[in-house]
Amino acid sequence: MARIAVIGAGIGAMATAARLAVAGHRVTVYERSATYGGALGRFERAGFSFDTGPGLLHLPAVYRDLFVKTGKRPLEECVELTQVDPAARHLLADGTALTLPGASRGGVAAVLDATFGAGSGDRWSGVLGRARDAWDATRRPLLEEPLWPDWQVLGRDPYPALRGSGLLRRRPPTLAEMAGRELGGPLAALLEAMVLGHGIDPRTAPAAAVALPYMEQTFGSWYVRGGLRELATAVYERCRERKVDFCFDAPVREVLEQDGRAAGVLLADGTRVPADTVVCAVDPRRLLAPLLPGALPWPADAVPPRTGALSRSTLFLALRGPRPADAAHRTVVHSPGARPVTVLRPDDPATRPDADHEAVTVSVACSTAGVAEGELLAAAERALPGLRDRLLWQEARTPADIARDTGAVDGAVPPPALAGAAGRMLYPANATALPGLYLAGGWAHPGGGLAHAGMTGALVAGLIVEGADFRGSR
């Protein structure tokens, strides 16, 4: 039985801790704040409740596997999962409105034909079909396996872009260039908005980023009753069932090293905690900065820590009046020259004081400077006509709030890893050059997003338990 110290109590950290505890290790989690969950927080006021992080879950199979591997009760007995259908209502910049069904390729094609003319659905399906090829080519190395030592091969874009544009002679196209050539017009804007929803700029992202809309359209989007914070609570309770210890209000100052390997952690109050293995599940740029740009924990040919990630600005709206029965759970508002704004209106009694009120969350991926409340409110008004007459109060959440609550540098929110772009969209490997030190959570391979961060639990636990023989999740 090894002593394992996990730094941070985010969802990736807890997924790692639960799996390691099941393997027979003594696991202690050290969290700088007073609670668990990391980005999966909750804001409550006057009977209203809002998620402070992501509002939807993709690839719930990641968490189904976690619960199967760590206990008797499956995920669906611990939280109530509901597939969101329709997937989203889009309000385009020119005033066009369309509603896309969930997890239905044919249904989406039919809506696009009806909205933009015959052939639109076929063009969309063609792009999503090529996205499937990119997904199939990279699913295991980017989601289910430790980062390859020769990770540079993942720098090649696997998206089979159509030839004839001239781009392929110079370089692989970006997602925006591919969308403009293969879709054009409002279809291109629609695809770019889906990628931006993951916090990825289509102007710099590889065309392989289309795998993210493919994943969403194929496997659907899911809501957890009570909000995504309930998922964090379920994982925390599973950790406690497996005898994982949690130390809250216990910030870690540094990772201790002895005889060339990780030997524990030093807490901010000066307490030295010995450990056989350390798992860093927070932004490594903050905690491990003293080790950079030296040889540890990244050798010269390793993927360096990610930089340049977007953040998120959010507005919580408490409204008088009931939620209309036909309201879409998710509406995406497109505006000229601006990033699309997402409006979430869950049909969930747990989010509001009673049936005569409604809780609405408005958010946008943005630079770490944030977005003004007025811009978010104006976008929300397009999705909810008469909004200002219903508004009881509003509460803003900025990138600075994210930085304070999660410890991420500048409040950056890590997106999923992607192949292509010469490896710039990859994350540091879970095993570092310092023996006994591992990386988990959204800032390590395979990156951010609930599914990807959750997979770090399987990867890190596999590396620790099986060592060099571990070849990936099954």
Side-chain angles (χ1 to χ4, degrees), residues 7 50 109 123 132 141 150 157 163 166 170 189 235 241 247 254 261 270 303 327 330 336 353 415 423 455:
I7 305 170
F50 306 86
R123 294 203 306 279
R132 180 189 58 219
D150 58 340
D157 194 332
R163 298 184 178 276
R170 304 191 302 274
V235 177
E241 291 170 6
C247 296
E254 63 181 78
R261 65 172 290 116
V303 177
R330 174 171 53 170
M455 273 306 298

Side-chain angles (χ1 to χ4, degrees), residues 233-253:
T233 297
V235 177
Y236 171 73
E237 291 175 348
R238 178 55 54 88
C239 285
R240 298 296 294 150
E241 291 170 6
R242 307 312 304 184
K243 310 302 182 186
V244 174
D245 290 325
F246 284 79
C247 296
F248 295 111
D249 296 313
V252 173
R253 182 186 301 171

Side-chain angles (χ1 to χ4, degrees), residues 187-419:
L187 288 179
L190 190 64
L191 187 70
E192 290 181 30
M194 292 180 176
V195 171
L196 266 169
H198 290 269
I200 294 173
D201 189 337
R203 297 169 300 178
T204 57
V210 75
L212 298 174
Y214 166 80
M215 176 185 72
E216 215 176 302
Q217 181 174 304
T218 302
F219 305 111
S221 301
W222 300 76
Y223 176 70
V224 178
R225 289 290 176 181
L228 268 290
R229 173 68 178 178
E230 293 300 310
L231 176 64
T233 297
V235 177
Y236 171 73
E237 291 175 348
R238 178 55 54 88
C239 285
R240 298 296 294 150
E241 291 170 6
R242 307 312 304 184
K243 310 302 182 186
V244 174
D245 290 325
F246 284 79
C247 296
F248 295 111
D249 296 313
V252 173
R253 182 186 301 171
E254 63 181 78
V255 175
L256 300 176
E257 180 185 350
Q258 183 176 340
D259 299 328
R261 65 172 290 116
V265 295
L266 176 66
L267 303 184
D269 64 4
T271 302
R272 298 172 70 90
V273 181
D276 302 298
T277 300
V278 176
V279 178
C280 176
V282 299
D283 188 342
R285 296 175 297 166
R286 176 177 62 83
L287 183 64
L288 304 179
L291 298 174
L292 300 175
L296 295 176
W298 292 279
D301 61 348
V303 177
R306 279 289 299 272
T307 58
L310 295 175
S311 186
R312 188 162 291 275
S313 287
T314 304
L315 196 60
F316 303 135
L317 305 178
L319 306 183
R320 63 171 63 88
R323 177 187 184 273
D326 60 349
H329 186 117
R330 174 171 53 170
T331 298
V332 182
V333 181
H334 304 240
S335 300
R339 295 187 174 101
V341 173
T342 298
V343 179
L344 297 180
R345 307 177 68 183
D347 184 11
D348 185 354
T351 65
R352 55 188 185 247
D354 53 50
D356 292 324
H357 294 84
E358 182 180 6
V360 175
T361 300
V362 186
S363 65
V364 63
C366 61
S367 72
T368 53
V371 172
E373 288 184 44
E375 293 182 41
L376 291 178
L377 194 60
E381 284 188 281
R382 289 184 55 197
L384 289 83
L387 168 64
R388 291 185 187 269
D389 293 335
R390 298 180 59 196
L391 185 61
L392 291 171
W393 49 264
Q394 65 192 56
E395 184 79 22
R397 180 172 169 81
T398 68
D401 294 320
I402 297 174
R404 180 197 65 223
D405 293 346
T406 69
V409 176
D410 296 326
V413 178
L418 293 171

